[in-house]
Amino acid sequence: MTPYFEFANPTKLCSGAGAVDNLGYELEILGVHNPLLLSDAVLEKIGTLSLVIKALQGRKIGRIFTDVPRDSSVETVNEAAAQYRAYGCDGIVAVGGGSVLDTAKGVRLLISQTCEDLLELMGCECLPAGKRVPFVAIPTTAGTGSEATAVAVIRNTEKNIKMEYISQQLMPDVAVLDARMTMTLPPRVTASTGMDTLCHAIEAYSCLQKNPLSDAYAAKAVELVRENLLHATRFGHWKEARLAMANASFLAGAAFSNSMVGVVHAIGHALGGVCHIAHGDAMNILLPAGMRFNRKVCKAEYAQLLLYLAGPEVYLKTPEQRRADRAIAEVVHLRKKLNRLTGLPLTLKETGADPAKFPEVAAAALNDGAVIVNPRQVTYEAVIRILEYCYEERGDDHGRH
Ligand SMILES: [Fe+2]
C-alpha cells in the first residue's frame, strides 16, 4: 500500500430520479439567493437547461450565461466572472459537460481570489481560501467526472495550449446526478464518454498513487460501467442505466482526483492537442494498448479488476495466472460491441490522425504529468510503438508493447 496518501471528496452528492427538483433546497442550504447559471447554447436549445430553470421557479436567478464553447477558454471564464460580479451573484450553478463545469471552476477561482484574469492564477498551487463562492455542478455527460475532481482544464487561446488548474477549492459543494440530464446524449457520445469513465477508473486503480479509498471508488465505477454502458448506449431513455453511468462517472472522477491516471491519458491528451482527437475516442482507442504496456508491472491489479469487469462467475472460473489477460480481453470485447452499436473508432486511422505527427504527439505525451505516475516507465520509443500499433490494429490481438 502507498506509504502515505491523501484523499479528499467534500462534494455532497444528490443522485436520483428528479434530483434536479431539489436544487432550490440545496441552494437554500448553501445560502445562495442570486445564482449565476452557467451552461451552453446546445443544452439551452434541446431543453435540458429548462429542466433546471423550472426547478428554480419562484427563485431569483441573477444571470443565465450560455456562451460556453466546446473547449472553454480563459476569455470565457473571465467574461462569466465579470457577469457574476455585474449581476451581484452569490453562487454558481453549472449545467453541462466538462467544458461548462471547468468554466464554473475557473469563475469560482476568480471570484474567491478577487481576481479578474485567470492567467494571473496560472501555476498557483496553494491558494488561500479567499471569498466563499457556493458551487453546484449538474453534469450533462457521464464521462469527465469533473463534478468530483479538483481539476479544471482551460484553453489558453493565445498560446494554443490547455492549462490545468488543480486545487481543492475547485471541488463543487454539491453535485446533482439526474438521469434526465444525460437522456438526450446521442449513442456515439454516450459510448465515447463512458469509455473515458472506464479509463479513469482503470488508470486510477493501477497508477503509482493508488490508495485504498481511490481503489474502492474505481472498482465500483468499473462495475457500474460493465453493467450499464451498453444499456445506456443502446437504450438512451433507460433511466436506471443513465443514472448508474452518472454515478460511475462521479466515482471514477473522485478516484483519479485522489490518485491519478497514466499513460493512456498522457497519450490521449497529446493526441487531443496535436491531432484534435476527441478525448473519449482517444481513450477508447488507446486503453487496451496502454493496459498491455503496463501489464508486466500491474498484473495483480488487472487480475483484481477482472472481478468488476466481468463479474464473479467469470472471475472465479478464470485461473489466477490468466485473470490479467482476461481483464484486457473484456475491455477489448466491450469496445467491439460499442463499435458495432455506434461506430466508435477502434483505430487512430479511422479518426484521420496523421502518423507524421506521432513524434510530436510522443514528445507532448512525455511532458504530461500522468506519465510520472504510470506504473511502468514510459519512454519515447514506447509511446511511438503504442501509437503505431493503435494506428491500424483494432486491439484484438495480444501483442506486447
Ligand atoms: Fe479522461
Side-chain angles (χ1 to χ4, degrees), residues 79-145:
E79 173 56 23
Q83 298 212 9
Y84 182 102
R85 286 187 213 99
Y87 288 85
C89 297
D90 57 1
I92 306 166
V93 176
V95 183
S99 177
V100 171
L101 300 192
D102 286 1
T103 300
K105 290 175 173 180
V107 173
R108 186 192 220 187
L109 219 47
L110 285 181
I111 303 297
S112 70
Q113 301 301 313
T114 333
C115 181
E116 288 184 11
D117 186 356
L118 198 63
L119 288 177
E120 286 174 32
L121 300 174
M122 203 164 60
C124 297
E125 287 199 357
C126 290
L127 291 166
K131 192 176 150 193
R132 180 176 170 266
V133 183
F135 169 25
V136 178
I138 308 179
T140 57
T141 61
T144 67

Side-chain angles (χ1 to χ4, degrees), residues 196 200 265 279:
D196 187 22
H200 292 156
H265 267 81
H279 181 67

Side-chain angles (χ1 to χ4, degrees), residues 45 64 94 127 133 151 154 160 182 188 194 267 336 338 363 372:
K45 194 177 164 196
I64 300 176
L127 291 166
V133 183
V151 186
I154 313 281
N160 198 24
T182 55
R188 169 81 169 62
I267 304 177
K336 257 192 209 164
L338 291 171
I372 302 167

Side-chain angles (χ1 to χ4, degrees), residues 1-6:
M1 190 169 75
T2 321
Y4 173 82
F5 72 92
E6 295 179 1

Side-chain angles (χ1 to χ4, degrees), residues 304-327:
Q304 288 158 14
L305 280 178
L306 180 63
L307 176 62
Y308 309 101
L309 279 164
E313 210 173 307
V314 172
Y315 178 82
L316 288 171
K317 274 187 189 165
T318 309
E320 207 178 326
Q321 281 304 312
R322 290 176 50 198
R323 282 179 185 157
D325 286 330
R326 180 67 195 257

Side-chain angles (χ1 to χ4, degrees), residues 317-385:
K317 274 187 189 165
T318 309
E320 207 178 326
Q321 281 304 312
R322 290 176 50 198
R323 282 179 185 157
D325 286 330
R326 180 67 195 257
I328 300 171
E330 288 295 327
V331 173
V332 169
H333 191 54
L334 176 61
R335 287 164 90 238
K336 257 192 209 164
K337 284 187 174 170
L338 291 171
N339 170 265
R340 256 183 252 130
L341 278 174
T342 71
L344 192 64
L346 294 174
T347 64
L348 288 173
K349 196 176 187 178
E350 290 166 66
T351 68
D354 179 2
K357 289 186 173 171
F358 286 173
E360 195 185 337
V361 174
L366 290 177
N367 270 329
D368 192 284
V371 292
I372 302 167
V373 291
N374 190 69
R376 183 177 168 193
Q377 199 189 348
V378 184
T379 61
Y380 177 85
E381 291 71 29
V383 177
I384 292 288
R385 271 201 304 277

Side-chain angles (χ1 to χ4, degrees), residues 202-203 206-207 261-264 287-302 324 328 370-371 373-378 386 400-401:
I202 291 177
E203 293 211 288
S206 48
C207 77
V261 278
V263 67
V264 177
L287 185 54
M291 289 178 80
R292 285 185 192 121
F293 174 73
N294 284 333
R295 183 197 170 280
K296 163 169 173 181
V297 291
C298 42
K299 199 176 166 192
E301 285 78 12
Y302 290 164
I328 300 171
V371 292
V373 291
N374 190 69
R376 183 177 168 193
Q377 199 189 348
V378 184
I386 291 174
R400 300 280 182 265
H401 298 284

